[in-house]
Amino acid sequence: MSQPPIRLLIVDDHEKVRQGLTAFLNGEPDMEVVGAVASGEEAVVAAIEAAPDVVLMDVSMPGIGGIEATRLLASAHPGLRVVMLTSFGGRDRFKEALKNGAIGYMLKDTAPPELLRTLRYVARLRSRVGAAPSV
């Protein structure tokens, strides 16, 4: 019996990034992009409508930024897994993202195979804290 595809929501204010990630991830047989939006505000609405397993969230966006949107999503949907995908490294942003509900933090220049491994791993987690992947 095959598993249903991992349902992904992409949140990034750059259209080319959204389009590129959508095309790349939809090319994987076990992944399905169920939404691609440009802002934190749209992410909160899209998470309700699309019911993703994992949200791939940009940190820096106009309006509600990725960390604040993650906080809102984590409080409204405790089981939702958010992975930050950003151009900006730094320990402070990383800690802030985790404190507000993100389960992971990756740089946009991460190699594609590593991004796929991370998304697959995160999708299998049973809960945000102290969980082991289900087999």
Side-chain angles (χ1 to χ4, degrees):
M1 175 183 239
S2 69
Q3 296 282 340
I6 299 165
R7 297 172 54 80
L8 301 162
L9 172 63
I10 298 168
V11 185
D12 196 292
D13 58 325
H14 293 97
E15 185 175 354
K16 288 182 183 181
V17 172
R18 290 191 313 273
Q19 289 174 348
L21 283 170
T22 298
F24 171 65
L25 296 170
N26 276 338
E28 294 297 308
D30 62 336
M31 296 189 182
E32 175 187 8
V33 175
V34 295
V37 298
S39 70
E41 294 90 344
E42 291 176 300
V44 173
V45 173
I48 294 167
E49 294 173 355
D53 300 310
V54 179
V55 177
L56 200 50
M57 177 83 71
D58 188 14
V59 171
S60 183
M61 296 180 287
I64 296 177
I67 292 174
E68 176 63 13
T70 297
R71 185 188 68 74
L72 293 170
L73 288 172
S75 66
H77 310 282
L80 186 59
R81 300 162 209 89
V82 178
V83 174
M84 307 305 291
L85 187 64
T86 182
S87 300
F88 306 103
R91 186 179 197 109
D92 291 340
R93 283 184 189 241
F94 172 74
K95 287 175 19 180
E96 187 74 13
L98 293 180
K99 184 176 95 175
N100 283 283
I103 197 165
Y105 191 98
M106 301 184 75
L107 295 176
K108 286 184 179 177
D109 64 358
T110 298
E114 182 63 25
L115 174 62
L116 293 173
R117 273 193 299 276
T118 299
L119 293 174
R120 288 178 177 124
Y121 177 80
V122 166
R124 290 191 311 261
L125 292 176
R126 286 183 285 221
S127 68
R128 237 179 37 74
V129 180
S134 58
V135 179

